[in-house]
Amino acid sequence: MRLLGIATFLVGLAFGQAQHVLQVDRGSSLVQPVYRPLSLGSTSPLGWLRDQLELEANGLAGNMFDFYRFVHNSKWIGGTTEYSILDEASPYWFNGLVPLAFGLNDTRIKGQVQYYLDYVLDHQQDDGWLGFETTHQTRGLWARCLLLLGLMQYAEADSTQTERIVDSMHRYVELAHSMLRDNYTGLLVHGDDVFDTAGFGVGRTHEYHIPLQWLYEKYPRNNSELIWETMELMIEGGVLWGADWRTFFVDGVYPTVYQDGVTPWNLSWVFLHGVNYAEGLRYPLAVYRMTHDEKLKEQTRFATDLLAKYHKSLAGTIIADEYISDLNPNRGAELCIAAEMIFSMTWIYQYLADNDLADWVELVAFNALPASISSDWYSHQYVQQENQPWSRNLTEGSAMWTDVNSYSTVFGLEPNYPCCTVNHPQGYPKFLANSFVSTEDGGLAHVYLSPGTVSTILEDDNSVTISATGTYPFGLNLSYQVSASSPFSFYVRIPTWASNASKMTGPGESSSQPITPSSTGLQEVKIAAGESTFTVELDTQPRVEMRANNTAGVYYGALLYSLAIEYNDTETPARQYNTQAVLPTNTTDSHSHDHIMVPTSLWNIAIDPSQIEVVQKNVSTIPNPVWSLGAPPVELRIAAIEIEWPLLYDSPDIPPLNPVTKGKPFSARFVPYASAKLHMAHLPVLSLPEVDLLEDKISE
Ligand SMILES: *[C@@H]1O[C@H](CO)[C@@H](O)[C@H](O)[C@H]1NC(C)=O
Ligand SMILES: *[C@@H]1O[C@H](CO)[C@@H](O)[C@H](O)[C@H]1NC(C)=O
Ligand SMILES: *[C@@H]1O[C@H](CO)[C@@H](O)[C@H](O)[C@H]1NC(C)=O
Ligand SMILES: *[C@@H]1O[C@H](CO)[C@@H](O)[C@H](O)[C@H]1NC(C)=O
Ligand SMILES: *[C@@H]1O[C@H](CO)[C@@H](O)[C@H](O)[C@H]1NC(C)=O
Ligand SMILES: *[C@@H]1O[C@H](CO)[C@@H](O)[C@H](O)[C@H]1NC(C)=O
Ligand SMILES: *[C@@H]1O[C@H](CO)[C@@H](O)[C@H](O)[C@H]1NC(C)=O
Ligand SMILES: *[C@@H]1O[C@H](CO)[C@@H](O)[C@H](O)[C@H]1NC(C)=O
Ligand SMILES: *[C@@H]1O[C@H](CO)[C@@H](O)[C@H](O)[C@H]1NC(C)=O
Ligand SMILES: *[C@@H]1O[C@H](CO)[C@@H](O)[C@H](O)[C@H]1NC(C)=O
Ligand SMILES: *[C@@H]1O[C@H](CO)[C@@H](O)[C@H](O)[C@H]1NC(C)=O
């Protein structure tokens, strides 16, 4: 970190009657992460994760540039269509497609993002504004956060573009800074401004911190103070508006159950909105990096604990439809939340280094996110329910939720608000890009254990390539091939659920030894110069998570399990998100369809989780697509019995307290949650007579 000298200057700002003072410490340095992400493009996917990213590239994400009106015909690239005055659609898309393009090194996708990059940079306005808006009424800063996130990744991945991207970012930040200095123009609406009358941008002021902190550290030029102050002004403006997340993650204030009709709610709506919340989790840490106030780091951990206790779904996302509610499994969780959770929890993990947070990232990536995306990656849901035995237009659906329509569980092109159409692509590419990280001692760690390969240069010109193969999370054996020009320390993160029977066969060793992970869950492996190989065999047992009213969810390793529900999938024309009219063909392509899925097997059961068997197929390759019913090579059998399960608003009601059983107990087939597009995962618990669980063992 270069030091500018410790001079402090004060900037007075007039806002209404109040006088606010910023203190800019010109020598300030940012708190550094424990684990540092590698440059985008250093890590490539292997195995099933490569298949998934290729499906994503060949699916909706990688094709909407060619047909989807909010991207193809975006005003950002000379078109005419935006879904809202926030003008955020194609910047969301760009933020997800850049890491997809470079994660896969895919020429076609790189062409799409290069076109967008060229257009947007070439049309930067004379005053530095990025985007097409020309009036103060329409110029909101928010969507440019997303653009900057995409630009930052692009500059990391493609050095031929870095200079012009950084030039453009500086010109823009100078303008944004002068706007913010002028009574927070572009952040707070004044007079007849229309750019953000609801307050999305003011609830997300810290979103600028990731790209601006990157710019500040890597390419500050002569603008360090200005960049720093821009971030402070964003926070300050949001605070004035009433959107300070430091006031939300507080005991007694945090809404343990929102809308119980009793708890008074004094804070802004912005905190209750699920996508805002997924982003807001990063707020205290974004500020902590600048203030070094340890309380904000502690508050970040506290925030994740509050979420885990009161609003986290079994699949790892935030239950919010679109507002946080309670833990009942008929409530929804918007797909954008899962995409944002991967990014937020990844970033938080890199600073806090708490092992359970990395497990949480995997939980979202292997469960919540793919559950809401069709196995061919061409359609998606707006909301998923933990208990969702059908995916169709609900006759009374909107009555159950706060701001979600009856069509939102349908897998479609835009079954509800189109934000998830344009924002879902970022999930897997960012997960991949952060799956290997560098460590404080100059080593490398594999923290998300899916298959991948990384090539990078460590300290002292140590050129290193590591490939992690295996079928994780479907199998628990990991194999590593390493090539290094000099010795270094490699680390494999051992999930918190791995038992002490987990083993490792180190480089050059012929037999396995028990693993000995550090307190943060890292298993060190000393790598010598040259080629080496080693293996890790994780061991675990099924886990039962008890929830309220004697209900449970069942996990094995990083996967949540659901009853396997057979279904009839009917393809129908894609419908428009607000009118539900069939979309004109000028915004669909031949693969865009909606899917109505109705169950053809039992869904209403209770389980006895004292009777569980694991059925693991020994496979070296995973079927593609893996997130479809029957594809994953690992399943569970759980003792179960049919029960009467009343409906509420055309969905299963909360799990019945004293369920009425029907028929005899049987061995129920449970599969990884994300492979069961129709699923029941949060079930009443009963004590049942012993059942022969392996009577229908899946064939090899
Ligand atoms: C990406 O692909 C290009 C062209 O196929 C190739 O030249 C380049 O080496 C690849 N980059 C990486 C990081 O694999
Ligand atoms: C700043 O904006 C606020 C909110 O629109 C307004 O009430 C206030 O008068 C403005 N202050 C100045 C100095 O323009
Ligand atoms: C910083 O400012 C100085 C003086 O104005 C100038 O000479 C120098 O080129 C600038 N550096 C950069 C990186 O812009
Ligand atoms: C809400 O605000 C009122 C008045 O300021 C205060 O008395 C009350 O304690 C607050 N309630 C909560 C839950 O913060
Ligand atoms: C879906 O159901 C709602 C009632 O819940 C109805 O108003 C709407 O027209 C239906 N949409 C379609 C496409 O059938
Ligand atoms: C694992 O832990 C259990 C319970 O603490 C203990 O009984 C067992 O011996 C341990 N096994 C190994 C391989 O260390
Ligand atoms: C538990 O059951 C009670 C009574 O039916 C219900 O009000 C509550 O919402 C349930 N809680 C959960 C988390 O299912
Ligand atoms: C699937 O649903 C469609 C549309 O409702 C129906 O025509 C068809 O018969 C169903 N197929 C099966 C196998 O149930
Ligand atoms: C697509 O068609 C609709 C109606 O058919 C029309 O209103 C719209 O302007 C068209 N959009 C484009 C981008 O051509
Ligand atoms: C993992 O590796 C061990 C030792 O090679 C082997 O016994 C075990 O069957 C493997 N597990 C799977 C699921 O392939
Ligand atoms: C699992 O499959 C691998 C490769 O197909 C084979 O080498 C290994 O022996 C098998 N393990 C078991 C336990 O069947």
Side-chain angles (χ1 to χ4, degrees):
M1 171 46 49
R2 117 197 136 91
L3 291 178
L4 297 164
I6 309 296
T8 298
F9 62 95
L10 304 178
V11 183
L13 280 160
F15 185 87
Q17 300 305 308
Q19 191 75 22
H20 291 271
V21 174
L22 283 175
Q23 297 215 345
V24 180
D25 179 347
R26 302 166 74 191
S28 299
S29 64
L30 295 168
V31 172
Q32 296 303 302
V34 178
Y35 304 129
R36 211 174 278 275
L38 305 173
S39 300
L40 180 62
S42 319
T43 304
S44 310
L46 294 174
W48 74 268
L49 190 59
R50 170 166 287 276
D51 292 341
Q52 282 296 304
L53 285 159
E54 285 175 354
L55 286 166
E56 178 176 344
N58 294 330
L60 178 57
N63 281 296
M64 61 178 124
F65 179 73
D66 292 325
F67 74 87
Y68 188 55
R69 64 195 183 289
F70 300 126
V71 178
H72 180 73
N73 192 35
S74 164
K75 290 184 185 175
W76 280 84
I77 47 176
T80 58
T81 317
E82 293 293 326
Y83 61 63
S84 83
I85 194 74
L86 296 173
D87 301 333
E88 65 182 9
S90 65
Y92 262 131
W93 166 87
F94 184 64
N95 175 39
L97 270 282
V98 169
L100 178 65
F102 292 100
L104 278 177
N105 198 22
D106 181 300
T107 307
R108 187 176 61 89
I109 308 292
K110 283 197 288 188
Q112 295 179 359
V113 293
Q114 167 104 48
Y115 178 92
Y116 193 87
L117 176 78
D118 287 346
Y119 194 99
V120 169
L121 294 195
D122 293 349
H123 289 78
Q124 185 162 21
Q125 296 180 34
D126 289 341
D127 63 357
W129 185 252
L130 285 163
F132 57 90
E133 303 88 344
T134 54
T135 65
H136 76 82
Q137 288 94 337
T138 54
R139 279 185 165 189
L141 299 175
W142 153 243
R144 270 129 285 263
C145 287
L146 302 169
L147 179 76
L148 262 51
L149 280 168
L151 290 176
M152 170 190 86
Q153 297 173 84
Y154 210 128
E156 289 264 299
D158 183 350
S159 60
T160 67
Q161 303 301 316
T162 309
E163 185 79 9
R164 67 192 277 245
I165 289 172
V166 169
D167 284 349
S168 159
M169 283 173 84
H170 275 276
R171 287 179 58 207
Y172 172 70
V173 176
E174 284 165 22
L175 174 65
H177 176 260
S178 71
M179 289 169 67
L180 289 164
R181 287 281 300 268
D182 179 15
N183 203 10
Y184 308 99
T185 299
L187 175 62
L188 306 183
V189 296
H190 301 134
D192 60 352
D193 287 352
V194 293
F195 58 79
D196 186 9
T197 47
F200 281 98
V202 285
R204 302 170 176 180
T205 51
H206 63 291
E207 290 284 285
Y208 264 100
H209 285 50
I210 290 184
L212 292 190
Q213 289 173 356
W214 171 85
L215 192 67
Y216 178 86
E217 286 196 310
K218 295 218 162 161
Y219 305 99
R221 299 199 175 158
N222 283 342
N223 266 342
S224 297
E225 291 146 26
L226 185 141
I227 297 168
W228 190 279
E229 196 177 285
T230 303
M231 293 187 277
E232 292 197 324
L233 285 163
M234 287 296 291
I235 295 295
E236 187 95 21
V239 169
L240 287 171
W241 190 88
D244 181 349
W245 290 87
R246 291 167 292 191
T247 64
F248 175 72
F249 299 117
V250 171
D251 235 347
V253 174
Y254 182 87
T256 55
V257 176
Y258 176 53
Q259 288 185 330
D260 59 1
V262 179
T263 313
W265 178 249
N266 288 350
L267 301 179
S268 163
W269 71 274
V270 297
F271 302 107
L272 303 173
H273 183 268
V275 182
N276 285 353
Y277 184 159
E279 298 174 347
L281 278 171
R282 276 186 274 120
Y283 184 109
L285 194 58
V287 177
Y288 164 66
R289 287 203 74 197
M290 298 171 69
T291 63
H292 298 242
D293 176 357
E294 289 295 319
K295 284 203 190 74
L296 294 174
K297 185 179 173 190
E298 287 158 24
Q299 190 180 29
T300 302
R301 179 68 234 197
F302 187 61
T304 63
D305 291 344
L306 285 172
L307 170 56
K309 189 163 174 194
Y310 297 111
H311 298 105
K312 181 188 183 188
S313 82
L314 291 170
T317 189
I318 303 173
I319 300 185
D321 54 27
E322 294 172 349
Y323 296 79
I324 52 171
S325 53
D326 53 36
L327 289 173
N328 282 322
N330 51 5
R331 301 305 298 246
E334 186 182 333
L335 175 55
C336 280
I337 299 175
E340 294 290 347
M341 278 296 284
I342 291 178
F343 183 54
S344 285
M345 295 306 283
T346 278
W347 196 65
I348 292 171
Y349 171 62
Q350 288 170 0
Y351 286 84
L352 268 52
D354 292 342
N355 196 14
D356 62 314
L357 300 180
D359 284 339
W360 194 337
V361 176
E362 289 193 350
L363 185 64
V364 183
F366 302 149
N367 300 280
L369 182 92
S372 278
I373 297 171
S374 64
S375 55
D376 66 356
W377 278 81
Y378 240 103
S379 62
H380 67 279
Q381 298 179 295
Y382 190 68
V383 298
Q384 82 183 235
Q385 299 156 286
E386 288 168 350
N387 288 346
Q388 177 203 291
W390 41 80
S391 161
R392 55 166 169 71
N393 192 30
L394 300 176
T395 55
E396 302 170 273
S398 35
M400 185 163 40
W401 298 316
T402 317
D403 194 13
V404 163
N405 73 27
S406 61
Y407 204 69
S408 62
T409 65
V410 169
F411 285 80
L413 176 62
E414 49 180 54
N416 201 148
Y417 210 65
C419 53
C420 295
T421 311
V422 292
N423 193 21
H424 79 277
Q426 68 160 311
Y428 269 176
K430 291 193 182 178
F431 177 74
L432 168 74
N434 290 286
S435 57
F436 289 89
V437 291
S438 66
T439 54
E440 284 172 312
D441 62 357
L444 275 179
H446 189 206
V447 292
Y448 310 144
L449 302 177
S450 41
T453 182
V454 60
S455 287
T456 191
I457 313 277
L458 300 179
E459 281 165 12
D460 305 324
D461 269 345
N462 185 7
S463 172
V464 167
T465 298
I466 297 161
S467 295
T469 54
T471 59
Y472 185 91
F474 309 103
L476 301 177
N477 285 355
L478 310 166
S479 300
Y480 291 86
Q481 294 84 41
V482 187
S483 129
S485 39
S486 35
F488 74 103
S489 280
F490 185 66
Y491 300 88
V492 179
R493 189 183 70 84
I494 305 299
T496 58
W497 43 257
S499 81
N500 63 356
S502 300
K503 293 178 287 189
M504 187 184 108
T505 307
E509 289 171 10
S510 56
S511 65
S512 61
Q513 302 294 324
I515 53 164
T516 52
S518 69
S519 60
T520 53
L522 293 193
Q523 172 66 46
E524 185 172 10
V525 186
K526 298 256 185 228
I527 303 293
E531 311 287 320
S532 47
T533 62
F534 65 94
T535 57
V536 174
E537 285 168 55
L538 299 175
D539 178 81
T540 191
Q541 296 300 320
R543 304 188 305 286
V544 178
E545 182 170 319
M546 292 304 297
R547 289 235 165 153
N549 297 341
N550 203 27
T551 60
V554 179
Y555 299 86
Y556 178 58
L559 298 171
L560 172 67
Y561 280 75
S562 159
L563 177 67
I565 301 175
E566 307 285 340
Y567 57 92
N568 180 3
D569 177 350
T570 308
E571 217 170 77
T572 67
R575 289 184 181 269
Q576 195 186 0
Y577 72 94
N578 45 8
T579 63
Q580 290 184 18
V582 170
L583 279 163
T585 50
N586 62 8
T587 191
T588 59
D589 80 354
S590 62
H591 300 280
S592 318
H593 302 290
D594 293 354
H595 293 264
I596 309 300
M597 301 179 194
V598 294
T600 56
S601 66
L602 193 65
W603 60 269
N604 42 316
I605 62 164
I607 56 171
D608 178 352
S610 71
Q611 299 186 57
I612 304 181
E613 286 287 347
V614 178
V615 180
Q616 175 97 50
K617 275 211 244 179
N618 179 18
V619 295
S620 50
T621 55
I622 297 286
N624 183 21
V626 67
W627 299 122
S628 56
L629 188 59
V634 55
E635 300 188 355
L636 301 180
R637 298 291 179 267
I638 305 180
I641 191 162
E642 184 176 356
I643 60 167
E644 283 177 14
W645 196 319
L647 301 188
L648 176 70
Y649 301 128
D650 199 18
S651 272
D653 199 351
I654 58 171
L657 263 179
N658 297 299
V660 177
T661 62
K662 299 198 244 178
K664 289 199 179 120
F666 61 97
S667 168
R669 178 185 179 204
F670 273 69
V671 294
Y673 176 79
S675 71
K677 296 308 173 191
L678 300 184
H679 43 249
M680 293 294 291
H682 185 159
L683 300 165
V685 168
L686 288 178
S687 182
L688 296 174
E690 198 174 323
V691 169
D692 177 7
L693 292 172
L694 297 181
E695 61 192 1
D696 69 333
K697 192 173 192 259
I698 47 172
S699 54
E700 292 295 311

